Amino acid sequence: MFRLANLVWPDLAERRPLVLLPLGSCEQHGPHLPLDTDTAVASEVAERTVARLAGEVDVLVAPAQPYGASGEHEGFPGTVSLGHDALRLLVTEIGRSLLRWADRLLVVNGHGGNLTSLAEAVTGLRGEGRDAAWWPCLPPGPGADAHAGRTETSMMLRLRYAAVRSERAVAGPTEPVPLLMDRLIAESVRGVSPSGVLGDPAGASAGEGERLLDRMADRLAEDIRAWRVGERGRLGPPARKPAAAPAESGR
């Protein structure tokens, strides 16, 4: 059994596992993807990774945290954002409590807007002598779009086909996020993309989603085996840097 939620306390009495905490969001993902897209992807990557590490590493998956810092999406109904201060405190307190009995904590992050508070929380935990890290679910390869485009649509077609409203899918701005950043900060996502999509869902497929999820799990398993943690608490080789995410305003 690799899910923490399925265990009872004696199952952990003689163990000091690594615990993966999927961290997502409850936020709009265009007119065609469900609000829990980020949480679903982070959870799936974490579970696939545990399967790859079976027999090598004592590792568990904790219940996912489904709310994050999503203020840039609050122009759309359905979005629920904790804000950065609350998310920073939440991750800090989860880490302090969990690491009383676990050996290591890895937050598997599915939402780019969480990065500021997540990195600060993990850095603080490490400063207290706790072995914590975070890892971003960044689909591999060129052409990955920013939000509710082809990559996320493909992954959700693989994970929950019935929840994807493909007939409603529309393209949004397709410029790279760094070129849109000034407008995203000033106008939030709704001002830049009335549909909430940044990218183009056209051509998405469950087969592509399967490949993307598998490649992320392969990479995460490699990074866990090496366990190299950078200055901001990021697990993995220093050359891999997370893409810039829209700043959350007013929270």
Side-chain angles (χ1 to χ4, degrees):
M1 293 187 292
F2 62 85
R3 292 189 180 97
L4 178 61
N6 289 340
L7 302 181
V8 295
W9 75 260
D11 295 330
L12 295 162
E14 304 299 326
R15 298 172 62 178
R16 295 284 295 176
L18 161 65
V19 178
L20 306 188
L21 171 65
L23 174 62
S25 69
C26 179
E27 66 181 37
Q28 72 83 22
H29 273 76
H32 65 295
L33 293 182
L35 296 166
D36 72 338
T37 290
D38 293 337
T39 309
V41 169
S43 297
E44 181 70 13
V45 170
E47 294 200 357
R48 290 183 183 218
T49 300
V50 169
R52 284 158 168 75
L53 295 171
E56 298 180 55
V57 180
D58 185 4
V59 55
L60 300 170
V61 178
Q65 163 55 30
Y67 299 104
S70 301
E72 68 272 19
H73 296 282
E74 284 188 318
F76 298 87
T79 298
V80 180
S81 177
L82 293 180
H84 283 294
D85 290 344
L87 182 59
R88 184 186 307 112
L89 180 60
L90 179 69
V91 173
T92 298
E93 292 303 320
I94 289 174
R96 285 171 175 164
S97 181
L98 187 148
L99 289 168
R100 290 179 181 274
W101 53 266
D103 187 47
R104 293 177 290 172
L105 167 66
L106 177 63
V107 182
V108 180
N109 181 47
H111 170 50
N114 293 336
L115 289 178
T116 297
S117 42
L118 174 57
E120 290 175 359
V122 168
T123 300
L125 289 168
R126 294 186 64 80
E128 296 171 356
R130 296 173 168 89
D131 198 356
W134 61 272
W135 192 90
C137 292
L138 295 175
D145 40 37
H147 190 75
R150 176 169 173 159
T151 51
E152 285 190 316
T153 302
S154 292
M155 290 188 288
M156 291 308 293
L157 284 170
R158 170 60 184 86
L159 296 179
R160 292 218 311 277
Y161 184 90
V164 179
R165 280 74 158 179
S166 297
E167 72 282 1
R168 300 182 185 176
V170 296
T174 56
E175 297 93 323
V177 168
L179 298 182
L180 296 171
M181 187 58 65
D182 288 345
R183 286 190 62 201
L184 287 167
I185 292 172
E187 305 172 39
S188 195
V189 173
R190 183 130 204 182
V192 175
S193 174
S195 70
V197 177
L198 298 174
D200 187 351
S205 70
E208 181 176 350
E210 173 68 17
R211 291 189 292 273
L212 292 168
L213 291 162
D214 256 353
R215 290 174 65 187
M216 280 193 286
D218 286 342
R219 194 176 68 200
L220 177 52
E222 291 175 7
D223 287 346
I224 288 173
R225 291 183 184 106
W227 200 257
R228 291 175 289 185
V229 183
E231 290 183 3
R232 298 185 68 235
R234 162 73 156 86
L235 181 72
R240 292 179 185 152
K241 295 181 180 179
E248 181 179 4
S249 58
R251 295 292 298 278

